[in-house]
Amino acid sequence: MTLLEQYELATDVPFVRRTQQALVKSAIALLNNPSTPEGVAEFCGHVLRAPGPHAQNMAFGVATNPVITAESSDSDLEWTVNSMISAMAGVLAS
């Protein structure tokens, strides 16, 4: 996928909405896990208070995954969001 195609995917409203739901689901799961690093937990709190802006940022990250398309399954989007949430929180996965 070209950079322009990635941008177009990341700004596609249904894609952003699906990414937002995956991000909210992930944030809830991480906040329910006592071993979640503090920085990630703080990010998850921000996500739950204002998911829209974080979803748009995450959509840009998700669109960089070469196997993700507008037709990707919800589980593929969830997996991709889960794999990127620490990076988006600015915390290196341990």
Side-chain angles (χ1 to χ4, degrees):
M1 185 181 300
T2 67
L3 294 175
L4 183 56
E5 290 168 334
Q6 289 176 4
Y7 177 86
E8 289 171 354
L9 178 61
T11 56
D12 176 68
V13 173
F15 182 79
V16 175
R17 288 177 178 165
R18 291 175 65 215
T19 301
Q20 179 170 317
Q21 285 309 111
L23 180 58
V24 166
K25 185 176 180 179
S26 182
I28 291 168
L30 285 165
L31 286 172
N32 281 319
N33 181 345
S35 66
T36 297
E38 185 177 331
V40 174
E42 183 178 348
F43 174 74
C44 290
H46 290 289
V47 165
L48 295 180
R49 284 188 291 282
H54 296 291
Q56 183 62 73
N57 292 337
M58 181 63 79
F60 280 108
V62 171
T64 66
N65 184 322
V67 301
I68 295 294
T69 68
E71 292 79 33
S72 290
S73 69
D74 288 349
S75 62
D76 285 344
L77 284 180
E78 287 178 37
W79 185 92
T80 304
V81 166
N82 290 339
S83 71
M84 295 182 168
I85 198 161
S86 290
M88 295 301 280
V91 177
L92 295 175
S94 52

